[in-house]
Amino acid sequence: MKVSLDQDLCYGSHDCVHRVPSVFTLVDGLGAVIPGREDTGDDPQVRAAAEECPSQAITIAISE
Ligand code: SF4
């Protein structure tokens, strides 16, 4: 499953980065998925980060 992050929705709370620093990072103060780490949507911590993102900017989708 692929994880993606919409920076247009993100307001930079940093929650996802604190929870899963191996997958999320900050770019210009906003959350971002580290390149090459998009295929981690089945990680329970990544799923929790998506569910608890205060702006619902993180999406997990079935890989094509
Ligand atoms: S938890 Fe959500 S709002 Fe906060 S930095 Fe991550 S994507 Fe942005």
Side-chain angles (χ1 to χ4, degrees), residues 29-50:
L30 297 176
V33 178
I34 296 172
R37 301 292 287 158
E38 297 86 354
D39 211 9
T40 52
D42 50 358
D43 180 328
Q45 286 286 76
V46 173
R47 297 179 73 84

Side-chain angles (χ1 to χ4, degrees), residues 7 9 12 17 33 35-37 41 43 45 51 60:
Q7 289 195 325
L9 296 175
V17 181
V33 178
R37 301 292 287 158
D43 180 328
Q45 286 286 76
E51 289 169 7
I60 294 175

Side-chain angles (χ1 to χ4, degrees), residues 5 9-17 26 30-31 49 53-55 57-58:
L5 193 159
L9 296 175
C10 171
Y11 68 86
S13 72
H14 304 183
D15 294 7
C16 58
V17 181
L26 290 176
L30 297 176
C53 168
S55 61
I58 302 170

Side-chain angles (χ1 to χ4, degrees), residues 1-36:
M1 291 182 153
K2 291 209 179 280
V3 60
S4 60
L5 193 159
D6 185 343
Q7 289 195 325
D8 289 337
L9 296 175
C10 171
Y11 68 86
S13 72
H14 304 183
D15 294 7
C16 58
V17 181
H18 287 303
R19 180 183 287 270
V20 202
S22 61
V23 173
F24 299 103
T25 188
L26 290 176
V27 175
D28 296 333
L30 297 176
V33 178
I34 296 172

